[in-house]
Amino acid sequence: MSSKIAVLAGDGIGVEIIAEAVKVIQCLQQDFGLAAELEYAAIGGAGYDQYGKPLPDETLAICEQADAILFGAIGGPEYEDLQRELRPEKGLLNLRSALSLFSNLRPAILYPQLADASSLKSELVAGLDIMIVRELTGGIYFGQPRGIRELENGEREGFNTLVYAEHEIERIARSAFDIAMLRNRKLCSVDKANVLEVSELWREVLTRVAGEYPQVELSHMYVDNASMQLVRAPKQFDVIVTTNLFGDILSDTAAMLTGSIGMLPSASLDKNGKGLYEPVHGSAPDIAGKGIANPLATILSLAMMLRYSLQQAELAQQIETAVGNVLNQGFRTADIAEGEHTVSTADMGDAVVAALRASAK
Ligand code: IPM
Ligand code: MG
């Protein structure tokens, strides 16, 4: 049976990096027997330009019918003055919410070939392999009420609501425990239970769900401490599970530990394993159109898609091996280059395809 993959390039470097991931898909179709149909759709600023909104109805319909979504990046300075509902970010947030993609997996892996790229001492990060599981459709990102209101004295007040229902905590907890079971069985739940009631409930539910996973060692950490521990001794972590906002922040820190945010993929999954796959980095308007962006995070996101949504773990592994091989051969885009000869976005994509082809023979 053929899988349907929705392809949403979005804005900025999204367009260039998605083109390279599509080359990889085409190679899998031609040389590895992958049966997949691609459907392209507009999102973010591109959605706004073409249809007047960041998540056009056509795009949502295509995504609803797809088995998986490959996503580039969204946003750019030309959209910053639009009202909030029309901004590119809203396209991504609405898509996550409409498809109930509540479980966001953000691995932070240090590639041995890039050990010197980290800003931390190499012994602190050598072999680093953390998985952050971020709750993605709840918390303060979506809580109501929200807005900016005028008080009686004429002063304005901004407000958002941090709210989690038990079922939302329970399902992200299970998702994280399941992942911990496939890894080193250590799960650290990050909250702010010393101050927030919502964190108190979070902690209680995590502890309850832990009863179903006796093999997993659960610990709890306050978010301020977690942010410090991530840069002090990051290898103490295996899997981290946390709320939407804390996960947004901590996953950027974790990504930077590897020194190469251009290498990191992510998956956002619903309860059936349908998912949206995107690089962790954003649309990087400053380098858009220059052909220098690193396409590897997007290509590795495709590997995650094959593993988590399309049940093609072997092909996923082959892509990951091909990426390792091109790094071994010395291919580096500007973001990960240290004096080596740097290659363009398209050269890097071609190198991965060539490495894959070589392994098909
Ligand atoms: C991310 C991004 C998004 C978020 C933005 C673009 C809405 O920072 O995926 O981490 O805050 O979730
Ligand atoms: Mg973020």
Side-chain angles (χ1 to χ4, degrees):
M1 208 186 68
S2 180
S3 309
K4 276 195 190 152
I5 304 176
V7 181
L8 277 48
D11 309 320
I13 60 169
V15 179
E16 300 150 60
I17 54 176
I18 284 285
E20 301 313 309
V22 168
K23 280 185 193 166
V24 174
I25 297 176
Q26 285 164 346
C27 169
L28 296 178
Q29 290 169 317
Q30 285 159 16
D31 298 345
F32 293 81
L34 175 71
E37 287 162 47
L38 306 188
E39 265 205 272
Y40 294 83
I43 187 97
Y48 174 76
D49 290 340
Q50 286 175 46
Y51 298 90
K53 48 185 184 168
L55 176 58
D57 301 342
E58 292 80 349
T59 300
L60 180 57
I62 287 172
C63 292
E64 277 168 347
Q65 280 155 27
D67 299 301
I69 301 154
L70 186 63
F71 191 99
I74 44 145
E78 63 272 45
Y79 306 109
E80 267 161 24
D81 294 333
L82 289 173
Q83 69 186 77
R84 187 164 293 278
E85 280 309 305
L86 297 178
R87 282 194 214 152
E89 290 75 15
K90 205 65 189 176
L92 177 58
L93 294 170
N94 288 347
L95 189 57
R96 288 172 178 169
S97 176
L99 300 181
S100 299
L101 305 172
F102 67 89
S103 178
N104 183 211
L105 314 186
R106 298 190 163 187
I109 295 170
L110 190 95
Y111 285 80
Q113 299 92 334
L114 306 177
D116 295 332
S118 176
S119 50
L120 294 195
K121 293 192 196 93
S122 59
E123 66 265 25
L124 285 183
V125 290
L128 185 78
D129 182 353
I130 300 176
M131 177 70 90
I132 297 195
V133 180
R134 167 188 176 194
E135 199 291 325
L136 201 61
T137 53
I140 200 162
Y141 270 56
F142 293 94
Q144 295 289 345
R146 61 191 295 158
I148 298 173
R149 63 191 161 207
E150 196 169 313
L151 302 174
E152 273 171 18
N153 66 5
E155 190 192 1
R156 288 182 313 153
E157 171 180 85
F159 57 101
N160 288 87
T161 303
L162 172 50
V163 56
Y164 272 111
E166 271 184 290
H167 78 270
E168 292 177 293
I169 306 173
E170 237 175 82
R171 66 183 182 181
I172 193 66
R174 290 219 168 79
S175 194
F177 277 107
D178 286 342
I179 284 160
M181 283 296 290
L182 300 174
R183 295 175 45 103
N184 293 327
R185 304 188 174 182
K186 269 174 63 187
L187 177 62
C188 179
S189 169
V190 171
D191 63 35
K192 190 69 187 169
N194 51 343
V195 177
L196 304 174
E197 285 78 1
V198 59
S199 282
E200 212 179 294
L201 182 66
W202 176 278
R203 213 173 249 233
E204 189 191 308
V205 174
L206 261 288
T207 306
R208 187 167 76 217
V209 174
E212 298 167 27
Y213 296 86
Q215 297 101 321
V216 178
E217 179 197 321
L218 173 69
S219 59
H220 302 276
M221 199 180 276
Y222 298 139
V223 63
D224 46 353
N225 186 24
S227 73
M228 183 173 80
Q229 295 301 333
L230 266 177
V231 292
R232 193 189 73 88
K235 284 193 272 182
Q236 69 185 283
F237 297 107
D238 176 24
V239 182
I240 291 176
V241 62
T242 190
T243 57
N244 205 341
L245 181 62
F246 295 164
D248 179 47
I249 299 165
L250 294 181
S251 64
D252 266 24
T253 306
M256 207 52 227
L257 295 176
T258 71
S260 46
I261 195 165
M263 296 291 301
L264 298 179
S266 76
S268 306
L269 304 173
D270 76 1
K271 66 178 194 316
N272 302 314
K274 173 171 173 168
L276 179 150
Y277 298 83
E278 59 174 322
V280 165
H281 62 71
S283 58
D286 52 323
I287 60 163
K290 295 189 177 161
I292 59 172
N294 187 346
L296 293 180
T298 314
I299 291 171
L300 290 166
S301 298
L302 172 65
M304 285 188 94
M305 174 192 291
L306 289 159
R307 179 171 291 119
Y308 289 103
S309 289
L310 305 184
Q311 280 70 51
Q312 299 272 6
E314 215 167 290
L315 288 184
Q317 184 60 55
Q318 258 161 320
I319 293 180
E320 287 158 357
T321 303
V323 168
N325 288 344
V326 303
L327 292 176
N328 288 337
Q329 289 159 28
F331 286 89
R332 301 281 188 278
T333 42
D335 58 310
I336 51 174
E338 295 227 18
E340 293 106 330
H341 165 68
T342 65
V343 301
S344 70
T345 308
D347 290 342
M348 188 60 117
D350 291 342
V352 175
V353 169
L356 265 176
R357 287 235 158 90
S359 73
K361 290 195 185 114

